[in-house]
Amino acid sequence: MMKFARTGAAALLFFAGALAITLVSGAYVFGVPRADVMAVASLLCGVGGVVGVAALLLLHPSVLGRVGGVRGYLAGAGLIASLLLLGMLLGGARAMFISGHDLSLLLTMLLFASLLAVGFSLYGAGPLARRIEELRRGTARLAAGDLDTEVPVDGHDELAMLAEDFNKMARELREAAAREREMDEARRNLVAAVSHDLRTPLASARALIEAVADGLTDDPKVEARYLASARGEIEKLGRLVDDLFELSRIDAGLLRLDLEEASLRDLVSDTLSSFGPRAESKGVSLVGEVADGVDPVFASPPRLQRVLYNLLGNALRHTPSGGEIHLRVESVGDIARVEVSDTGEGIAHADLPRVFDRSFRGERSRSSSGEDSGAGLGLAIARGLVEAHGGEIGAESEPGHGARFRFTLHRAPSGSAGP
């Protein structure tokens, strides 16, 4: 009801404005005698008012729109315009005492013009109705799940823009569906990988503890060795749980780092010292190079140490005996760039875009951290932590000739308080 009242008020204002402009133009432009202005006003108000009310009723969506759709609207508009002309002609003929003969000719011509107006309206409505119907059918197919649906874009009007928007929406829905399928597949792979990596150390630890509990050996040294092995398996479980917790915080956007000025040189030195015995036992050479002037950087030292551990552990795991691992740090303007390179088997070109995805474990995947073939979380966590520092991370490789992982950090001017 309120909507109809607003429409009526707008129509009344439009009618009053059109009447005022017409009367002023008739009196001062067309030379209508002032004595006839009131009579003309009465004629215009009578005919225009009747036709206007008819237009409001007929062009309401519940009338012509329900009966004939777009064709009904346009044909109705042409018919109303013809009725307006007919009313004006009859009123003018009566006021000017036009003869019946002349009036019949005028009415005949007006009838022909009205029929043509309605025909032209229907002709113009045809393409519009067809394009609207195509959009409607496309919407129905899309709602039914056919995400490959697209509609033709004809012309350059609002309907063409609507069709372009529809096609854009359909493409975005396809991309979203593809991403969702990829995420579902990644989740399934992650669950399978985590289940495997939880089951193996858990089974080993249980077997060792049961052996000790059942008294299968009386040798204290053997018992101590069993318990030490069980403790190692439990530590693996703890690291995996920590990885999952860290990744869940990254994915949820809950990871907030308190950055401070830190020495990248010290972190690199500590990391190389930690991995030295493992590299030596495997016959792999570790080389560290830190350029002068790199420090300080804005970082969270424990999280940045985690990134270095993940990358260096990954490189060590994929580098054979006799190989080399290089950890280099250099400054480029206000950026510190860290590179971990190795002489291992490398990464296939097809795998590079996915190597930072969680649970990606291709043939030559390097997405695990630590000594064991983990659930593929190490590089995903490294990426999340680097991005939380405001940096970028990437990988390069030539299969058979090793791989290079690089990430960036923001350097801090000496004495600054924060980024």
Side-chain angles (χ1 to χ4, degrees):
M1 188 65 182
M2 291 295 296
K3 183 178 180 181
F4 183 77
R6 288 195 297 267
T7 302
L12 185 60
L13 288 175
F14 177 77
F15 181 82
L19 179 62
I21 293 173
T22 301
L23 293 177
V24 171
S25 300
Y28 294 99
V29 179
F30 304 137
V32 175
R34 298 201 175 178
D36 296 336
V37 170
M38 291 306 298
V40 172
S42 298
L43 175 63
L44 296 179
C45 285
V47 176
V50 171
V51 176
V53 172
L56 287 176
L57 295 176
L58 290 176
L59 295 181
H60 193 271
S62 62
V63 183
L64 286 178
R66 177 176 296 179
V67 175
V70 173
R71 294 181 178 87
Y73 272 120
L74 294 182
L79 180 61
I80 288 170
S82 300
L83 290 175
L84 182 61
L85 289 176
L86 176 62
M88 293 296 176
L89 179 59
L90 291 175
R94 184 174 181 182
M96 293 183 293
F97 303 103
I98 296 178
S99 67
H101 175 270
D102 294 339
L103 181 58
S104 64
L105 291 176
L106 288 174
L107 291 175
T108 301
M109 289 186 291
L110 179 60
L111 175 61
F112 180 67
S114 300
L115 293 175
L116 289 181
V118 172
F120 291 153
S121 299
L122 291 174
Y123 176 77
L128 291 177
R130 175 183 55 77
R131 293 161 65 190
I132 292 174
E133 179 63 20
E134 288 174 346
L135 277 170
R136 191 195 67 79
R137 288 197 299 266
T139 302
R141 291 196 302 271
L142 192 63
D146 184 5
L147 299 183
D148 292 326
T149 298
E150 289 201 8
V151 296
V153 179
D154 298 327
H156 305 281
D157 55 9
E158 289 84 352
L159 282 178
M161 295 171 62
L162 181 60
E164 290 177 351
D165 291 341
F166 177 90
N167 292 338
K168 180 180 178 182
M169 178 185 67
R171 288 192 294 269
E172 290 176 351
L173 286 175
R174 285 198 298 273
E175 293 171 359
R179 287 194 299 270
E180 184 175 358
R181 287 193 297 271
E182 291 175 358
M183 290 178 65
D184 286 341
E185 181 67 22
R187 278 193 291 269
R188 286 193 294 269
N189 292 339
L190 179 60
V191 170
V194 170
S195 300
H196 174 271
D197 293 331
L198 285 172
R199 185 185 301 114
T200 302
L202 187 61
S204 299
R206 182 171 62 183
L208 291 166
I209 293 172
E210 287 177 352
V212 174
D214 293 341
L216 297 182
T217 176
D218 295 330
D219 188 343
K221 293 183 179 180
V222 175
E223 288 185 2
R225 188 170 70 250
Y226 280 7
L227 292 176
S229 298
R231 182 175 61 186
E233 297 297 335
I234 292 173
E235 288 176 352
K236 291 178 186 177
L237 290 174
R239 287 196 297 270
L240 179 57
V241 171
D242 290 342
D243 284 350
L244 290 171
F245 179 70
E246 188 90 323
L247 190 61
S248 68
R249 295 187 65 197
I250 292 172
D251 287 344
L254 301 177
L255 184 63
R256 297 291 184 270
L257 302 184
D258 294 325
L259 303 185
E260 60 186 56
E261 292 186 16
S263 172
L264 190 53
R265 181 183 294 274
D266 291 345
L267 290 173
V268 168
S269 177
D270 292 344
T271 303
L272 292 175
S273 297
S274 298
F275 279 88
R278 288 166 53 189
E280 185 177 355
S281 65
K282 192 176 180 180
V284 174
S285 173
L286 287 182
V287 179
E289 301 175 18
V290 181
D292 294 333
V294 170
D295 289 331
V297 297
F298 286 122
S300 169
R303 303 306 178 100
L304 182 55
Q305 186 98 68
R306 179 76 177 277
V307 175
L308 294 173
Y309 270 51
N310 283 1
L311 295 181
L312 204 61
N314 217 34
L316 184 59
R317 180 169 158 316
H318 290 271
T319 302
S321 177
E324 291 185 353
I325 297 175
H326 290 261
L327 176 54
R328 302 182 182 90
V329 182
E330 61 181 351
S331 60
V332 183
D334 59 351
I335 296 296
R337 186 164 62 192
V338 182
E339 177 184 293
V340 177
S341 61
D342 61 65
T343 58
E345 74 267 22
I347 307 169
H349 292 303
D351 290 346
L352 276 174
R354 302 173 52 207
V355 76
F356 289 103
D357 293 348
R358 69 182 66 82
S359 78
F360 176 65
R361 298 165 64 158
E363 258 183 72
R364 290 170 291 278
S365 170
R366 312 168 64 91
S367 55
S368 11
S369 62
E371 297 179 25
D372 305 284
S373 125
L377 305 180
L379 291 183
I381 291 173
R383 178 178 62 180
L385 293 176
V386 168
E387 291 176 351
H389 279 83
E392 298 177 350
I393 189 169
E396 299 176 0
S397 178
E398 188 65 35
H401 299 280
R404 292 179 300 279
F405 288 85
R406 295 191 182 98
F407 68 90
T408 61
L409 295 168
H410 293 286
R411 296 177 59 222
S414 180
S416 75

